[in-house]
């Protein structure tokens, strides 16, 4: 069974940093592109960042470019999101999700999602 | 990276059909067939319902269908059932290695 388990969320002050992790199991992690999608309370989904299978390709939404860094450790089946210079508008549940297609060059579709981790940016 | 435009709400009675639209631009929906739809029940993670405009992952009922015309994609749910009541989001590749979601549509089964 595919499982994705996010962690690392919490309360942080504006301008602060957090590092999110997503532990994957039940599939060959290194064969799939993965992504982060966030959802502010009561709001819609927003794509944040994606990464290719071996981490060579990294992709970001304009809203987080230059502040967030996505990475992965295929030896530990773990996806990361380093979030710096956090703003109130970054407050959301952050989901990690797995690409539908194996070895896809880019994560277009997401067939498995974690339960999310809540990030709150507030003073 | 502007969000795709979806109606905030849609509704239908059990057994009826309902169509949800998703309007983008020639830079996203109109230029790529990388359109997908997700269903999200309250407090749950999204579920992939449609990919590549009209294809269904295994396990998704054939009551769900997708299509695209120009800059607008559509999701049709036929034979509405109570469990179809949820939020639905469209998504499209938007070029330059970016994705964009729609604002979401709350589907109510009357």
């Amino acid at each position: 069974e595919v499982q994705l388990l996010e962690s690392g969320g919490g309360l942080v002050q504006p301008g602060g940093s957090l590092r999110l992790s997503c532990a994957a199991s039940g599939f060959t992690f290194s064969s799939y592109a993965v992504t982060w999608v966030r959802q502010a309370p009561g709001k819609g989904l927003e794509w944040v960042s994606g990464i290719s299978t071996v981490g060579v390709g990294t992709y970001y939404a304009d809203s987080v470019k230059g502040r967030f860094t996505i990475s992965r450790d295929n030896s530990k089946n773990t996806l990361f999101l380093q979030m710096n210079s956090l703003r109130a508008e970054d407050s959301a549940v952050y989901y990690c999700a797995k690409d539908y297609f194996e070895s896809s060059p880019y994560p277009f579709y997401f067939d498995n999602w974690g339960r999310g981790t809540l990030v709150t940016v507030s003073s | 990276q502007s969000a795709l435009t979806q109606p905030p709400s849609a509704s239908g009675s059990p057994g009826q059909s309902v169509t949800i639209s998703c309007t983008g631009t020639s830079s996203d929906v109109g230029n790529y067939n990388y359109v997908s739809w997700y269903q999200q029940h309250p407090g749950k993670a999204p579920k992939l319902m449609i990919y590549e405009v009209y294809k269904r992952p295994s396990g998704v009922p054939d009551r769900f269908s997708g299509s695209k015309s120009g800059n607008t994609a559509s999701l049709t749910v036929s034979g509405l059932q109570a469990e179809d009541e949820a939020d639905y989001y469209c998504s499209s590749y938007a070029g330059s290695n970016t994705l964009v979601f729609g604002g979401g549509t709350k589907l109510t089964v009357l």
Side-chain angles (χ1 to χ4, degrees):
Chain A
E1 179 192 5
V2 172
Q3 289 195 338
L4 297 164
L5 183 61
E6 303 92 339
S7 61
L11 175 64
V12 61
Q13 292 188 339
S17 298
L18 274 179
R19 189 192 197 203
L20 305 184
S21 299
C22 173
S25 61
F27 66 103
T28 305
F29 181 68
S30 59
S31 295
Y32 291 86
V34 280
T35 198
W36 289 98
V37 174
R38 68 185 180 186
Q39 185 170 35
K43 302 297 184 182
L45 301 174
E46 181 187 10
W47 176 77
V48 173
S49 180
I51 188 167
S52 62
T53 53
V54 295
V56 173
T58 57
Y59 321 109
Y60 300 95
D62 287 346
S63 58
V64 306
K65 196 173 296 183
R67 300 187 299 122
F68 290 11
T69 302
I70 191 171
S71 62
R72 63 191 296 165
D73 184 339
N74 286 344
S75 68
K76 296 183 179 178
N77 293 342
T78 305
L79 173 68
F80 302 101
L81 186 67
Q82 177 66 43
M83 305 187 296
N84 299 330
S85 303
L86 283 161
R87 307 166 180 167
E89 54 264 37
D90 295 319
S91 296
V93 172
Y94 283 72
Y95 295 100
C96 67
K98 162 192 163 292
D99 192 39
Y100 182 57
F101 289 111
E102 186 174 6
S103 301
S104 172
Y106 184 85
F108 291 106
Y109 317 112
F110 317 121
D111 63 341
N112 286 277
W113 299 61
R115 293 187 174 184
T117 186
L118 178 62
V119 172
T120 303
V121 184
S122 175
S123 55
Chain B
Q1 295 169 2
S2 298
L4 306 175
T5 300
Q6 296 181 234
S9 63
S11 63
S13 299
Q16 289 187 332
S17 292
V18 64
T19 297
I20 299 171
S21 63
C22 169
T23 301
T25 69
S26 57
S27 297
D28 39 61
V29 175
N31 198 36
Y32 303 98
N33 287 327
Y34 299 120
V35 174
S36 56
W37 289 89
Y38 297 87
Q39 176 192 66
Q40 186 180 35
H41 287 107
K44 301 294 187 181
K47 175 185 177 182
L48 180 64
M49 304 300 285
I50 296 286
Y51 68 98
E52 289 180 1
V53 177
Y54 64 91
K55 298 178 181 179
R56 285 186 307 275
S58 62
V60 173
D62 59 6
R63 302 184 294 102
F64 291 85
S65 62
S67 63
K68 190 185 88 166
S69 177
N71 296 338
T72 299
S74 298
L75 173 72
T76 298
V77 186
S78 305
L80 270 175
Q81 298 182 5
E83 61 261 35
D84 299 334
E85 184 162 297
D87 293 327
Y88 290 84
Y89 295 91
C90 61
S91 175
S92 174
Y93 181 66
S96 301
N97 295 317
T98 62
L99 284 173
V100 62
F101 280 96
T105 297
K106 181 177 180 59
L107 175 60
T108 301
V109 180
L110 302 171

